[in-house]
Amino acid sequence: MIGKEILDSEPIPAAKVKAILEDFSENNELNYEQNITLNHVSRFRQFSLEDTEKIVKELEGIIKTKYAVRVVDLIPEDLADLRLIFAKEQIPIKKEDMEEILKILDKYDTLE
């Protein structure tokens, strides 16, 4: 796009995208892309926005933010699912770290 420059980029979880679009849609009409995005993020199981932010903070002690957001959005249920998330990544992650990630997710999953 001519005249547009990306100044900053950061990953945000689907729960936050959903909250932003729902707030925006209260006073404005969503365009096609925004409507498709809202439908997409509404279809999948996810944690509340507050829990999502807490989980990402906890996971940042183990993995980078972009991976923490991906894990929170996909909510892996076991080591096999978690391994699939990191399969193409060039980051070394130990089995103990993956087990810790699953424990953190399980802790918040029981509160739902």
Side-chain angles (χ1 to χ4, degrees):
M1 294 193 281
I2 298 174
K4 302 245 179 175
E5 181 181 345
I6 297 173
L7 300 175
D8 191 21
S9 176
E10 72 176 78
I12 60 172
K16 188 169 184 179
V17 172
K18 182 179 177 185
I20 291 169
L21 288 173
E22 286 175 342
D23 289 345
F24 183 77
S25 69
E26 289 177 5
N27 299 323
N28 303 294
E29 187 173 329
L30 298 177
N31 67 26
Y32 177 76
E33 289 85 4
Q34 292 166 335
N35 209 358
I36 294 292
T37 302
L38 181 59
N39 287 337
H40 177 77
V41 296
S42 296
R43 289 183 188 205
F44 298 100
R45 185 180 131 231
Q46 59 191 353
F47 296 108
S48 68
L49 182 56
E50 298 81 25
D51 284 348
T52 298
E53 290 170 350
K54 290 177 189 174
I55 295 168
V56 169
K57 288 282 187 221
E58 285 189 49
L59 292 177
E60 284 175 337
I62 303 170
I63 53 179
K64 291 182 180 180
T65 304
K66 73 177 192 175
Y67 302 120
V69 169
R70 189 177 302 157
V71 167
V72 170
D73 284 346
L74 296 175
I75 312 174
E77 295 181 2
D78 55 24
L79 283 174
D81 291 345
L82 196 53
R83 282 190 184 104
L84 287 174
I85 293 172
F86 294 106
K88 287 190 168 185
E89 303 301 331
Q90 297 296 325
I91 61 167
I93 186 160
K94 298 179 225 165
K95 183 177 179 182
E96 297 82 25
D97 290 340
M98 287 200 272
E99 290 170 350
E100 184 64 27
I101 290 169
L102 292 174
K103 285 179 190 174
I104 292 169
L105 292 174
D106 286 342
K107 178 172 65 171
Y108 286 93
D109 199 25
T110 59
L111 300 176
E112 290 291 310

